[in-house]
Amino acid sequence: NRSVKASQRISAAFLGLLEQQFPIKDQHPVRLRSASQFADRLNVHVNHLNRAIKETLNKTTTQVISERILQEAKVLLRHNNLSVAEIAYVLGFAEATHFNNFFRKHTQVSPTKFRTG
């Protein structure tokens, strides 16, 4: 079916763009963090992107982005000497507290506790 193929193409392009941002190199912050930013880059309406992601991955676009940022955060915390504030910056958080809240919400522990635990 044509719409499924279109959704798969959009999802694949989205995932490609998402992955291009990782691993973090040279302390350049993640640029694309929201569904609308990805939709702009893919030249599709954000609702179209959201529908395609939901249809193919059975998650929201925001969930997919958050999971990937969280995965990278864990790698950086465990295998890097960057401070929590520096990690927050390279992952595109305006404030370290926003990163702390995001991390705690998804893992139930603070970034510092995760790093030392």
Side-chain angles (χ1 to χ4, degrees):
N1 157 339
R2 180 183 267 144
S3 80
V4 170
K5 280 199 175 15
S7 291
Q8 288 170 338
R9 263 198 317 279
I10 290 168
S11 294
F14 162 77
L15 291 171
L17 267 181
L18 181 60
E19 283 306 315
Q20 279 175 15
Q21 303 188 104
F22 305 103
I24 301 291
K25 296 181 206 70
D26 308 324
Q27 309 246 331
H28 287 297
V30 168
R31 301 243 183 274
L32 303 173
R33 287 191 30 108
S34 70
S36 59
Q37 289 171 319
F38 278 97
D40 288 348
R41 286 289 292 279
L42 295 168
N43 294 315
V44 297
H45 192 278
V46 67
N47 294 347
H48 191 55
L49 173 63
N50 289 337
R51 247 189 328 273
I53 298 301
K54 192 72 172 167
E55 190 177 312
T56 56
L57 303 176
N58 210 23
K59 294 178 182 176
T60 67
T61 309
T62 303
Q63 278 176 304
V64 176
I65 296 166
S66 293
E67 286 171 6
R68 187 59 185 92
I69 288 174
L70 185 65
Q71 180 186 339
E72 192 67 17
K74 289 176 176 179
V75 169
L76 291 170
L77 286 165
R78 285 266 159 87
H79 306 287
N80 203 298
N81 296 330
L82 295 175
S83 70
V84 171
E86 289 168 323
I87 290 171
Y89 171 76
V90 298
L91 292 177
F93 289 87
E95 304 281 337
T97 52
H98 297 168
F99 171 66
N100 285 331
N101 294 339
F102 166 85
F103 195 88
R104 188 183 296 270
K105 178 180 152 198
H106 289 85
T107 64
Q108 282 68 61
V109 296
S110 71
T112 307
K113 193 170 198 119
F114 178 86
R115 175 175 261 172
T116 58

